Amino acid sequence: MTRINAFGEVRSSPPGARLSGILAITLAVALLSLSDSVVKLLGDRLALGQLVCLRSVAAGFLLALACSASSRSGLRPRRPGWVTARSLCLAAMWFLYYASLPVLPFAVAAAGFYTAPLWMALMARAWLGRRLGRAGWGALGLGLAGVAVVLRPGAGMASAWFALPLGAALCYALAALLTETRLRDEAALTMAFNLNAVLAVAGAAWVAGLGLVHPGGTGFVLAQWREVTREDAILIGLLAVLLAVIATLVARAYQSAPAPLVGMFDNAYLAFAVLWGALLFGTAPGPAEAAGIALIGLGSLLMSRAG
């Protein structure tokens, strides 16, 4: 498949590269769903900024070692401005999504987050001139109908909290298109290291900012710092390893294949989220929520194919 990127250059996605991207994103979302379920479990024991900072410091250290051992990767990106812009989008994504996890069922938060392929296709239409066609617009309608079903009348505060994973989806979609159009030649390890450096700084800034404007806050989002037990430290280490692998796989996936195609397989996260929600939290979605999640997943799938 041949296409023109944002620089007006003709770029091709050989079948082997497309398959590599599909496999990379599928493994990434399998690990990401596990990682996010662990974050939800830690929500009543650690603070958001603390967790993001500690996890990313550890993951950044692992990635720095990997970069130093690689002959093709270094810590300094070729396009530092675009790489950092991508990392900022992903940092905003994680903060928004994680802030929603303590208050929304895992599968419902995942449904909001995985409207991302819809936004990817719409942004690709505006940015790269990719046509949606009838199938694309129909897919968008299905996705929006799914959001409406999840936020059925009477949902109350859930409607406000659902805006957080939707915002995270927008940030993720923008990061994905930046990776495809501006950063195809960057080393995946380098981008993963930059992401974790930005996340570590953002986490530390969140903690420091809370100390200035809201000291003594409680809850996952507003608490400044909590005691880290030995079990917590082990879980943070596990999250760091997972994040280092996930960040590398996601970067590689969006470099190898078009964003809408990768987004189609990205939707496997929804199935994993329902599974982990049932196994770890005993919160299987109700009939209306399940129908909404199915509509969002179907809409994203069709949009990805249309893109």
Side-chain angles (χ1 to χ4, degrees):
M1 177 179 179
T2 301
R3 64 191 187 283
I4 300 176
N5 75 0
F7 297 111
E9 302 166 331
V10 177
R11 307 301 296 263
S12 60
S13 294
R18 291 160 67 89
L19 178 60
S20 175
I22 290 168
L23 293 176
I25 198 62
T26 303
L27 178 56
V29 297
L31 297 177
L32 183 61
S33 62
L34 174 61
S35 175
D36 290 345
S37 64
V38 173
V39 170
K40 185 171 176 66
L41 286 171
L42 288 172
D44 60 348
R45 292 157 55 178
L46 296 174
L48 173 59
Q50 172 191 24
L51 176 60
V52 169
C53 181
L54 293 178
R55 182 189 67 169
S56 294
V57 166
F61 175 75
L62 294 175
L63 287 163
L65 292 178
C67 287
S68 65
S70 172
S71 59
R72 300 177 58 187
S73 304
L75 298 182
R76 180 176 296 180
R78 296 178 182 178
R79 296 189 175 115
W82 286 116
V83 171
T84 301
R86 171 187 180 272
S87 296
L88 288 170
C89 290
L90 291 174
M93 174 206 79
W94 258 302
F95 270 89
L96 289 169
Y97 186 53
Y98 283 174
S100 75
L101 291 181
V103 292
L104 291 177
F106 191 29
V108 173
F113 184 39
Y114 272 81
T115 59
L118 303 178
W119 310 124
M120 283 181 205
L122 287 173
M123 289 180 185
R125 182 180 186 275
W127 193 348
L128 305 178
R130 291 177 183 157
R131 297 181 59 187
L132 290 181
R134 292 181 180 179
W137 289 113
L140 178 61
L142 281 176
L144 294 177
V147 171
V149 171
V150 171
L151 300 179
R152 60 197 182 280
M157 283 300 294
S159 298
W161 287 112
F162 197 69
L164 293 174
L166 287 178
L170 283 168
C171 293
Y172 182 62
L174 180 56
L177 288 175
L178 282 174
T179 306
E180 181 191 351
T181 60
R182 299 293 203 262
L183 301 170
R184 285 172 61 89
D185 298 326
E186 287 285 352
L189 282 175
T190 303
M191 287 195 290
F193 174 79
N194 182 275
L195 169 60
N196 279 278
V198 168
L199 281 169
V201 172
W206 186 266
V207 172
L210 285 175
L212 292 174
V213 302
H214 199 281
T218 59
F220 179 58
V221 176
L222 296 179
Q224 234 184 309
W225 201 269
R226 291 174 174 169
E227 180 182 357
V228 179
T229 66
R230 182 178 179 181
E231 182 181 2
D232 293 337
I234 293 173
L235 288 175
I236 290 171
L238 171 63
L239 289 173
V241 173
L242 288 174
L243 181 58
V245 175
I246 291 163
T248 306
L249 287 172
V250 169
R252 175 56 63 194
Y254 283 103
Q255 287 178 319
S256 303
L261 175 65
V262 177
M264 179 171 67
F265 290 88
D266 218 335
N267 280 290
Y269 183 101
L270 283 171
F272 287 114
V274 172
L275 175 64
W276 292 123
L279 291 178
L280 298 179
F281 310 108
T283 56
E289 292 171 344
I293 291 169
L295 285 172
I296 290 171
L298 179 60
S300 296
L301 176 65
L302 292 177
M303 181 66 85
S304 299
R305 291 176 64 86

